[in-house]
Amino acid sequence: MLILRPVRFSDLPAIEHLAVCAGNRLTTLPNNRDHLAELINSTQKSLQQQVDSPSQQSYHFVLEDTESTEILGISGIEANVGTTSPFYSFRCDTLEHQSSELQIRNTINTLTLCQDYEGATRLCTFFLANNELPEYALKLLSLARLMFIGQHPQRFNDQLMLELQGEIDEHKQSPFWQALGQHFFNMDFKRANYLIGINSKGFIADLMPRHPVYVPLLNRKAQQAMGKVRPDMLKVESLFTSIGFNQQGYISIFDGGPTLEAKTCNISAIEQQFTTTLIIDKPDQADLCQQYLISNNQLRNYCCISASLNPDNITLTASQAQQLNLAAGDTLYLLALSAN
Amino acid sequence: MMVIRPIEAKDGDALAKLAKITGPGFTSLQDNTEVIENKLATALSAFDQPNQDQKDALFLFVLEDLAEQQIAGICAIEAAVGLSDPWYNFRTGTLVHASKELNVYNQMQTLTISNDHTGYSELCTLFLHPDYRHSKNGHLLSKCRFLFMAEFPQRFNQKLVAEMRGYSDENGISPFWEGLGKHFFSIDFTKADQMSSIDKAFIAELMPKYTLYTELLPKSAQEVIAHTHQNTIPARKLLEREGMRYTGYVDIFDAGPTLEANVADIRAVKHSRYVKVQISETVANDSNDLYLISSTAFENFRCVMSPIETPDNHLIKLDADTAQALNVTNGSTVRIVPLIAPKR
């Protein structure tokens, strides 16, 4: 069975392995033991804290195959962007340059370094090691976080955002980085990403352009990469747009990948989760026609699984209930997954 | 004999003829009747004594071949630029982006649109007919302006600029324009350049207002910043020998360099001096060195170039023809300076 649960100290070797697989392409998953240990530490600390309003907490979850005990993926939430280190984006602005005399009207796009997402809650560190997993694994890894947010609203902000990894070319290089960031960092994308991951982010302001960048002056490949996701992230992008996230003209300062955002109240995965009382039963396989994400609402022992259930008579098997650390009569949180 | 004098109303036709052969890239004298007439009218009013307080006067001079009664070239000084239409340049600059934490230290070159030269005097509109490009006529045409400025400093700013034409390839394409300006104008270089000499308002409307990082421009555009057009290199050398220097300002269209100097520091101004005229039938040349000799008159300003004989420090012997060309008589005061800076 696949489960999603908070990351624990014993997972360190496993997430180190994930970081190696991710190849320093994820800022939040650098291949650096100290940093990964801190990521676990922060999760455990945050889960034990009494929280009235979000601040420096962060939560990371792992996707575990309970049979093999293999860790297959990781995903996280940063409760309040900008509390521990500044968070930078490029805001895509439009300038109208108009000359009545020449009858020219030029729309010029610019990129401005900004910290507009500070104070939002950020979904981060999405990494799935294995692309062969069933569709629901991807949803479990992405959406169980949103159920968690929905169950603990006081721990998070109303504004959610996430960055999706940007386009890379056939040489695994980011054309956006090469045309822009590379000039300011003097190093390749992976190295920069790694250093950013393990350091405080203050130096980004020191290195990145202080003046808006005129988009028409970037090369064509870089322009085309703006706001585009890496092909293998398209599934994730469409998953998030299908539940209420959209692009509002912000992109990653590193690879130009899109930033998606949404208000909590507009996210179907949060708004449409519902509760029911747990009944344990052996269901008739023929009635299991609806795929759900199913979770408890515990903190340190938060757990989410995915299963097909009978929507007219929701029951869990004993092993499912055990996995969720629930007994008959406890409250169950459910989210119906759409067919695709 | 070749003589420099202020332009006169009768020179209109000659001006139009010169304009026909300047060709594209010479924006200050375009083959356009209206533009030429305006230019002539402006220049004529500048030499009108009652207008001596005019801040942005255009002093336009012609080089006349007295024997052939031909206008061989023109040159001009703009007393102050940017006072009615704004005057634009890119200022090249440096921003250091550094992080001790990451051990990164980057000097980023920048271009920032500026009006820093507002109010400066400008050397402009120099054109010499191809038939006359010999015998140092180019030197006379360019440097006569320094003697005029030395004579009438109150009519000019203390600072002087001259814009050099920027690099363009054998097809007349400016890589700087292709890499930058084109994106903001959606018209071609020639058209933009022509428009800019008539009215500069559109530049402000269309050009980038934020500082640009030079490194983000195409290599081909970066490489030609402050490069002078092949045909303008002699003019640049000439002005540099007079003490004008590139100080980091370039043209917004083709990135040609702007040369700059304090008027008082220019060699031909600083080393020029007054002498009295003695008209003489025989003039023995002291040496083969040519001198610029100018009169002290304003609307009848004259300047010639000639070898000289100076019996003493305060006297210069001129033959009757030269004196006539300068419009001076026995005992008149004239200003002289060696045509070319002595080699060190």
Side-chain angles (χ1 to χ4, degrees):
Chain A
M1 193 184 310
L2 293 184
I3 67 164
L4 183 107
R5 59 160 176 81
V7 66
R8 305 191 281 249
F9 286 108
S10 55
D11 296 322
L12 185 56
I15 61 171
E16 271 192 284
H17 176 68
L18 289 182
V20 171
C21 297
N24 286 329
R25 297 212 152 267
L26 279 174
T27 314
T28 45
L29 197 62
N31 182 12
N32 176 292
R33 175 170 294 187
D34 289 346
H35 182 88
L36 296 174
E38 179 48 37
L39 180 152
I40 300 172
N41 184 39
S42 174
T43 300
Q44 289 299 326
K45 235 168 65 186
S46 301
L47 289 170
Q48 286 169 48
Q49 265 173 17
Q50 169 79 32
V51 178
D52 299 320
S53 66
S55 56
Q56 80 280 14
Q57 299 84 18
S58 69
Y59 309 84
H60 276 84
F61 303 91
V62 289
L63 184 68
E64 180 183 356
D65 181 339
T66 52
E67 275 126 63
S68 66
T69 71
E70 197 184 346
I71 301 295
L72 301 169
I74 184 166
S75 65
I77 315 170
E78 191 182 338
N80 195 54
V81 168
T83 316
T84 46
S85 60
F87 183 83
Y88 295 95
S89 311
F90 274 138
R91 186 179 60 235
C92 308
D93 292 323
T94 302
L95 298 176
E96 288 291 339
H97 282 199
Q98 190 172 357
S99 164
S100 46
E101 190 184 348
L102 297 191
Q103 303 198 325
I104 291 177
R105 186 188 168 91
N106 261 353
T107 301
I108 307 275
N109 294 314
T110 58
L111 299 175
T112 307
L113 190 67
C114 73
Q115 290 164 262
D116 289 0
Y117 281 111
E118 297 208 346
T121 289
R122 176 187 179 204
L123 303 177
C124 57
T125 329
F126 181 89
F127 184 71
L128 195 55
N130 182 344
N131 281 327
E132 319 273 280
L133 291 171
E135 187 73 27
Y136 70 81
L138 179 79
K139 291 184 175 170
L140 187 54
L141 189 61
S142 329
L143 304 185
R145 287 180 288 181
L146 293 170
M147 291 180 73
F148 185 81
I149 288 170
Q151 292 163 23
H152 307 283
Q154 78 286 358
R155 288 178 174 265
F156 302 100
N157 290 299
D158 293 339
Q159 173 82 10
L160 297 191
M161 56 83 59
L162 71 144
E163 286 186 325
L164 292 169
Q165 286 174 268
E167 199 154 76
I168 51 170
D169 64 15
E170 64 274 22
H171 310 295
K172 298 204 167 174
Q173 297 294 320
S174 156
F176 185 78
W177 173 261
Q178 287 182 319
L180 190 51
Q182 175 115 38
H183 295 292
F184 293 88
F185 275 77
N186 276 348
M187 60 184 83
D188 72 14
F189 179 70
K190 285 180 166 185
R191 169 115 188 109
N193 227 345
Y194 174 75
L195 288 174
I196 291 152
I198 61 165
N199 286 282
S200 64
K201 313 286 183 288
F203 62 83
I204 292 175
D206 297 332
L207 292 185
M208 283 303 251
R210 285 160 220 164
H211 298 283
V213 172
Y214 290 96
V215 174
L217 303 183
L218 299 178
N219 66 45
R220 189 178 298 272
K221 270 171 76 183
Q223 290 187 40
Q224 285 168 347
M226 285 171 45
K228 289 252 175 60
V229 293
R230 243 170 62 181
D232 60 332
M233 294 298 285
L234 277 168
K235 256 198 263 179
V236 181
E237 183 183 36
S238 58
L239 174 63
F240 278 101
T241 52
S242 75
I243 61 168
F245 281 82
N246 52 42
Q247 276 196 50
Q248 293 291 346
Y250 290 84
I251 61 174
S252 155
I253 62 171
F254 302 111
D255 61 13
T259 302
L260 301 184
E261 64 172 76
K263 293 273 182 209
T264 320
C265 60
N266 294 326
I267 299 169
S268 60
I270 291 176
E271 289 303 293
Q272 291 170 11
Q273 70 174 315
F274 62 95
T275 57
T276 183
T277 303
L278 172 57
I279 300 164
I280 296 176
D281 196 4
K282 252 205 151 92
D284 187 340
Q285 291 294 322
D287 294 332
L288 304 181
C289 57
Q290 170 69 52
Q291 188 80 23
Y292 288 92
L293 294 185
I294 310 144
S295 85
N296 61 26
N297 77 331
Q298 297 165 10
L299 273 170
R300 290 182 68 185
N301 293 317
Y302 178 75
C303 183
C304 189
I305 62 171
S306 185
S308 270
L309 304 176
N310 175 0
D312 298 323
N313 178 24
I314 290 174
T315 64
L316 297 187
T317 63
S319 76
Q320 286 167 339
Q322 191 196 347
Q323 204 56 254
L324 288 171
N325 197 25
L326 294 176
D330 287 347
T331 302
L332 205 57
Y333 282 74
L334 293 122
L335 175 68
L337 297 177
S338 57
N340 58 3
Chain B
M1 166 141 310
M2 307 298 293
V3 63
I4 296 284
R5 61 166 172 81
I7 197 161
E8 294 170 15
K10 66 177 185 196
D11 297 321
D13 290 345
L15 198 58
K17 257 201 231 165
L18 281 183
K20 284 204 193 324
I21 55 172
T22 54
F26 197 85
T27 52
S28 50
L29 190 65
Q30 293 167 28
D31 185 13
N32 174 323
T33 313
E34 197 190 329
V35 174
I36 289 170
E37 280 173 4
N38 281 342
K39 193 145 207 152
L40 184 59
T42 312
L44 290 175
S45 81
F47 285 105
D48 235 351
Q49 266 300 353
N51 296 333
Q52 61 177 312
D53 290 335
Q54 193 193 344
K55 288 260 184 308
D56 56 354
L58 172 72
F59 297 103
L60 189 56
F61 303 91
V62 295
L63 175 64
E64 186 174 7
D65 180 345
L66 291 176
E68 301 288 328
Q69 296 193 323
Q70 285 283 330
I71 299 299
I74 58 163
C75 66
I77 319 168
E78 192 97 55
V81 296
L83 297 186
S84 45
D85 282 338
W87 178 262
Y88 292 101
N89 282 120
F90 275 132
R91 182 179 59 237
T92 61
T94 306
L95 283 176
V96 173
H97 286 225
S99 163
K100 275 223 161 76
E101 203 176 349
L102 292 197
N103 196 22
V104 174
Y105 176 93
N106 257 345
Q107 289 190 10
M108 305 293 290
Q109 302 308 311
T110 59
L111 295 171
T112 307
I113 201 135
S114 92
N115 308 118
D116 290 357
H117 290 152
T118 303
Y120 285 27
S121 296
E122 187 209 4
L123 299 179
C124 59
T125 324
L126 186 135
F127 185 74
L128 181 59
H129 191 286
D131 294 351
Y132 286 91
R133 289 178 191 169
H134 56 75
S135 315
K136 302 272 188 284
N137 284 329
H139 287 258
L140 171 60
L141 189 59
S142 180
K143 294 175 186 173
C144 69
R145 296 176 290 188
F146 296 136
L147 292 189
F148 187 77
M149 295 180 85
E151 196 60 45
F152 304 103
Q154 71 283 4
R155 290 177 185 267
F156 298 96
N157 194 279
Q158 291 178 355
K159 299 249 191 184
L160 179 68
V161 290
E163 291 195 308
M164 302 288 102
R165 190 172 166 193
Y167 175 87
S168 59
D169 66 17
E170 60 277 13
N171 301 315
I173 305 284
S174 156
F176 187 77
W177 171 261
E178 294 298 309
L180 177 58
K182 197 173 82 171
H183 299 293
F184 292 87
F185 282 84
S186 49
I187 51 177
D188 71 18
F189 175 74
T190 315
K191 172 100 170 94
D193 211 22
Q194 281 175 6
M195 294 292 303
S196 76
S197 70
I198 298 167
D199 181 359
K200 298 188 169 61
F202 74 96
I203 297 175
E205 291 162 349
L206 296 178
M207 278 304 263
K209 290 163 193 70
Y210 299 118
T211 291
L212 304 166
Y213 291 94
T214 309
E215 269 206 51
L216 301 184
L217 298 177
K219 276 270 174 306
S220 56
Q222 292 179 38
E223 280 164 5
V224 300
I225 291 172
H227 279 219
T228 306
H229 191 278
Q230 193 64 33
N231 299 345
T232 310
I233 288 174
R236 177 173 180 171
K237 287 201 169 131
L238 182 153
L239 294 177
E240 284 179 337
R241 284 196 69 182
E242 292 296 313
M244 298 194 76
R245 291 288 174 266
Y246 168 63
T247 61
Y249 289 84
V250 299
D251 181 70
I252 59 169
F253 294 125
D254 65 12
T258 297
L259 304 186
E260 189 182 329
N262 285 320
V263 175
D265 295 337
I266 288 171
R267 180 210 60 106
V269 173
K270 197 161 65 176
H271 294 167
S272 70
R273 61 187 174 95
Y274 284 136
V275 289
K276 293 270 188 232
V277 170
Q278 186 184 64
I279 297 177
S280 166
E281 278 181 27
T282 56
V283 178
N285 296 334
D286 286 352
S287 67
N288 285 326
D289 289 347
L290 288 169
Y291 272 71
L292 287 173
I293 311 164
S294 71
S295 70
T296 57
F298 177 65
E299 68 268 41
N300 284 315
F301 178 80
R302 296 289 185 275
C303 184
V304 299
M305 128 188 104
S306 160
I308 59 166
E309 183 189 352
T310 49
D312 68 54
N313 228 358
H314 306 289
L315 209 60
I316 178 178
K317 281 188 178 177
L318 296 179
D319 64 33
D321 284 350
T322 308
Q324 199 188 352
L326 281 169
N327 209 5
V328 293
T329 54
N330 244 334
S332 294
T333 298
V334 292
R335 182 181 285 273
I336 62 169
V337 74
L339 178 67
I340 293 168
K343 291 219 167 65
R344 289 172 202 223

